[in-house]
Amino acid sequence: MTKKERVAALIPLLDAAYPEVKCSLNYSNPLEMLIATQLSAQCTDARVNIVTETLFKKYRTVEDFANADYTELCEDIKSAGFYRNKAKNIILCCQRLIEAYGGEVPDTMEDLTSLAGTGRKTANLVLGDIFGKPAVVVDTHCKRIAKRIGLTSNDDPTKVEMDLKKIVPPDYQLRLCHQFVYHGRAVCTARNPKCEICPVAEVCKSAGKC
């Protein structure tokens, strides 16, 4: 079975198991999505949602973040971890949004990754969920599951992204990544995956071997 054939067999199985999927971060506009995704680095989405529930009431515009007091912002996002670096990047990111993009979140990979604190994972999530563009979001779940199933042999997130882009239909790429998050949390966990109840075991190279 080629990797493309494996993807073709995988898609209906994932659709049956996870018909309704979405980004698990809470946001109401592109800026909030960008900030929330930056905060999610090395932090659970559940924790980020707790932080942003109050954060987005206090800071409502790109100008609010750009002009934020660094020490105060650190305190506001402290429980998300790595708060000093995240606070610095959020302020710099929003300053650049104002200076270079009229305060709007841009819609290209090149522009998004020019923003402080914005790597390819964050950029792809914004491109896919906000702008509806083909996007492969390689988080810890995507990397682990894609490798176990046999869709990539790489560990580097950018290489995993490129491998998946070659074999996953563009209009399904973001959906697949969201399904991998659901699957990774419920079944294909990092330790002790539940292969005996896995809905995609029949197309997984590692079924019963992890």
Side-chain angles (χ1 to χ4, degrees):
M1 184 184 290
T2 67
K3 289 178 180 177
K4 276 194 174 182
E5 289 171 339
R6 196 176 296 279
V7 168
L10 178 67
I11 285 175
L13 298 176
L14 285 173
D15 278 346
Y18 311 103
E20 300 293 332
V21 293
K22 64 174 185 175
C23 176
S24 51
L25 293 169
N26 294 334
Y27 63 93
S28 59
N29 57 56
L31 177 65
E32 289 185 358
M33 155 66 89
L34 180 60
I35 300 296
T37 310
Q38 290 188 2
L39 289 172
S40 72
Q42 306 297 314
C43 182
T44 66
D45 289 353
R47 167 55 58 184
V48 172
N49 287 338
I50 292 171
V51 172
T52 57
E53 186 176 359
T54 53
L55 186 74
F56 292 157
K57 291 175 183 175
K58 181 174 180 178
Y59 304 90
R60 296 180 179 274
T61 67
V62 67
E63 288 82 9
D64 289 344
F65 281 110
N67 298 319
D69 177 80
Y70 168 74
T71 303
E72 190 174 343
L73 183 57
C74 280
E75 196 61 35
D76 292 332
I77 65 171
K78 193 169 187 177
S79 64
F82 299 95
Y83 59 92
R84 291 187 182 89
N85 201 43
K86 290 179 181 179
K88 180 187 72 174
N89 283 335
I90 287 171
I91 292 170
L92 289 173
C93 170
C94 289
Q95 288 173 348
R96 178 162 172 78
L97 285 176
I98 293 169
E99 293 164 4
Y101 303 106
E104 300 295 324
V105 176
D107 64 352
T108 70
M109 175 63 71
E110 183 180 8
D111 288 336
L112 284 165
T113 53
S114 76
L115 303 171
T118 309
R120 293 189 68 87
K121 185 185 86 168
T122 296
N124 271 310
L125 194 57
V126 172
L127 289 173
D129 268 327
I130 296 296
F131 296 109
K133 296 188 175 186
V136 175
V137 182
V138 182
D139 65 357
T140 181
H141 297 293
C142 180
K143 185 172 77 168
R144 178 177 72 252
I145 295 170
K147 193 170 183 181
R148 282 178 177 172
I149 289 175
L151 305 183
T152 183
S153 58
N154 287 302
D155 289 308
D156 178 76
T158 301
K159 290 181 179 178
V160 174
E161 178 190 338
M162 297 309 159
D163 287 344
L164 292 178
K165 279 189 172 181
K166 293 174 187 173
I167 58 175
V168 180
D171 61 351
Y172 197 84
Q173 289 172 0
L174 184 69
R175 180 172 174 79
L176 178 79
C177 295
H178 286 330
Q179 287 174 327
F180 277 171
V181 171
Y182 282 58
H183 188 54
R185 288 173 177 164
V187 179
C188 196
T189 51
R191 297 181 183 179
N192 304 315
K194 305 176 183 72
C195 295
E196 68 280 0
I197 63 165
C198 179
V200 302
E202 64 190 78
V203 297
C204 180
K205 274 188 153 185
S206 304
K209 301 174 185 175
C210 293

